[in-house]
Amino acid sequence: MRNLKVVITGTYPEAAKKRIRDSFPKDWEIRIVLPEEAADELSAADVLIPEHIQVDAVLLKKAPKLKLVQTGAGHDNVRIEDCTEYGVQVCNASNVNAGAVAEHVMAFMLCWYKNMIYLDGFMKSHGNEAELDYSGAELSNKTIGIVGLGSVGKTVAGYCRAFGMRVVGYSRRDFRVDGVELWPLDDLYRESDIVSIHVPLNESTRHMVNGSAFQKMKRDAVLINTSRGAVIEEDSLVNAIRNGEIGGACLDVYEDEPLRQNSPLRNLQRVILTPHTAGFPDGVKYHKKRYDFFVSNIEKMMRSEEPECRLNKI
């Protein structure tokens, strides 16, 4: 496996780049580049870990040595049929970050109902406690509607049951999860205090949470999204919050990433934002379990063993 070249695309701070490089064997060549710089590195690449780049036939023509495309949990930026045609194995890491993302969802809920961000700002601004005014709630007895019952959705359900919440769910697949009541999607929207999105992005889920969905939700409902930004019609979400159709939102993902500086989401009071970090609990853009999994899968592939979480058959 000497001289193995791994190309990682995306925007990473220098501290994260060092931690990522240190996760791989020392004799592997690890190149971490911006998406627009990927073409210059692909001619000799054995493995591609793509973020913010489309993996399709156009790109694969530039990567004649490529053997594996390894993604995180999501793979909506990879045309699997093109990879199959070019003889490139595609794998994701579907279960690796389920706990991390589910914990992020719980943190969103606790911050929302316990007013953590507001109260922290109040204390640090030396506010007068006689003028303190806010409302909140306990999670116990709240109803959470989980849209998508894959590995993350199931983990969120378990955490929510531990908090004494009523857990209802919707899935297009025939999933059965202990303690989760399966409801039609419209009923879930109408009855849930919290709606948490956990579906992959594809043509059937793009903008599935739209103006029509917001009109069905409770006026104090909070929407949480840690899946993919384009599952939600962002303009409709902004309007729904401004017009008081829903209570607000907690978002880790966006239609365009990084979230543009002039996005109206940055100026809404009833929104909590994080920069697509739910799956990176160990520091900025880094998750040790994720990279341990990547190394293990690459090593299996190089030994001609079947890698985990494969998405196509070569």
Side-chain angles (χ1 to χ4, degrees):
M1 276 182 273
R2 289 188 177 277
N3 300 318
L4 182 76
K5 181 174 181 179
V6 180
V7 175
I8 304 170
T9 67
T11 304
Y12 296 88
E14 288 302 318
K17 289 181 182 179
K18 183 180 186 308
R19 298 184 76 181
I20 291 169
R21 290 191 188 99
D22 289 346
S23 299
F24 290 92
K26 300 301 181 186
D27 56 350
W28 293 8
E29 181 184 358
I30 308 300
R31 297 288 295 160
I32 305 173
V33 298
L34 295 171
E36 58 268 27
E37 299 170 346
D40 296 332
E41 300 289 344
L42 287 173
S43 62
D46 300 286
V47 178
L48 174 62
I49 301 175
E51 183 177 313
H52 301 315
I53 189 172
Q54 188 70 27
V55 181
D56 55 18
V58 174
L59 181 140
L60 293 167
K61 289 177 182 177
K62 303 173 184 176
K65 292 182 60 180
L66 197 64
K67 303 175 183 67
L68 173 67
V69 173
Q70 174 68 65
T71 74
H75 52 86
D76 47 279
N77 59 326
V78 179
R79 285 185 58 86
I80 294 174
E81 59 271 29
D82 287 0
C83 291
T84 302
E85 182 179 342
Y86 278 80
V88 177
Q89 183 73 68
V90 183
C91 299
N92 70 348
S94 60
N95 298 315
V96 172
N97 68 348
V101 176
E103 289 178 3
H104 203 89
V105 172
M106 299 309 296
F108 270 152
M109 282 191 276
L110 289 166
C111 281
W112 182 268
Y113 284 108
K114 302 304 177 185
N115 293 280
M116 293 300 189
I117 294 173
Y118 167 72
L119 294 173
D120 175 73
F122 175 85
M123 294 299 289
K124 290 176 179 176
S125 66
H126 305 276
N128 180 356
E129 292 190 22
E131 299 174 356
L132 188 60
D133 182 26
Y134 69 96
S135 61
E138 297 179 8
L139 293 184
S140 177
N141 296 318
K142 289 287 185 187
T143 296
I144 180 169
I146 299 174
V147 181
L149 292 169
S151 55
V152 177
K154 290 177 183 176
T155 306
V156 171
Y159 291 167
C160 290
R161 291 198 306 272
F163 274 83
M165 302 176 72
R166 183 184 187 186
V167 183
V168 303
Y170 168 81
S171 176
R172 294 184 179 184
R173 299 182 183 178
D174 187 23
F175 284 142
R176 292 290 185 269
V177 181
D178 289 344
V180 178
E181 305 170 44
L182 295 181
W183 283 11
L185 187 57
D186 285 353
D187 292 346
L188 181 151
Y189 286 151
R190 291 188 183 98
E191 299 298 327
S192 297
D193 302 298
I194 304 141
V195 176
S196 191
I197 307 299
H198 301 285
V199 296
L201 177 62
N202 52 48
E203 288 311 307
S204 65
T205 61
R206 185 178 297 275
H207 288 178
M208 69 176 289
V209 186
N210 50 34
S212 176
F214 298 130
Q215 290 174 6
K216 296 180 178 76
M217 294 182 192
K218 294 182 177 182
R219 294 184 70 84
D220 60 351
V222 56
L223 175 70
I224 297 176
N225 190 17
T226 54
S227 60
R228 285 292 184 265
V231 171
I232 296 174
E233 194 174 59
E234 213 162 86
D235 290 343
S236 295
L237 172 61
V238 170
N239 290 333
I241 295 172
R242 283 175 172 167
N243 297 334
E245 293 178 36
I246 66 171
C250 300
L251 306 173
D252 184 58
V253 290
Y254 312 95
E255 284 204 70
D256 296 310
E257 294 185 6
L259 182 64
R260 65 185 190 277
Q261 289 298 317
N262 64 350
S263 169
L265 289 169
R266 293 184 183 270
N267 298 314
L268 291 177
Q269 293 299 309
R270 290 176 291 133
V271 172
I272 299 175
L273 307 176
T274 55
H276 203 155
T277 52
F280 295 100
D282 301 334
V284 178
K285 299 286 280 185
Y286 185 75
H287 185 196
K288 184 178 185 302
K289 285 173 63 177
R290 173 190 178 101
Y291 286 98
D292 287 348
F293 178 87
F294 287 175
V295 170
S296 174
N297 236 22
I298 293 168
E299 288 176 337
K300 287 180 179 180
M301 182 269 300
M302 297 303 292
R303 292 194 299 264
S304 298
E305 298 175 8
E306 184 175 317
E308 294 186 55
C309 301
R310 65 177 187 169
L311 300 174
N312 62 346
K313 190 171 182 179
I314 301 301

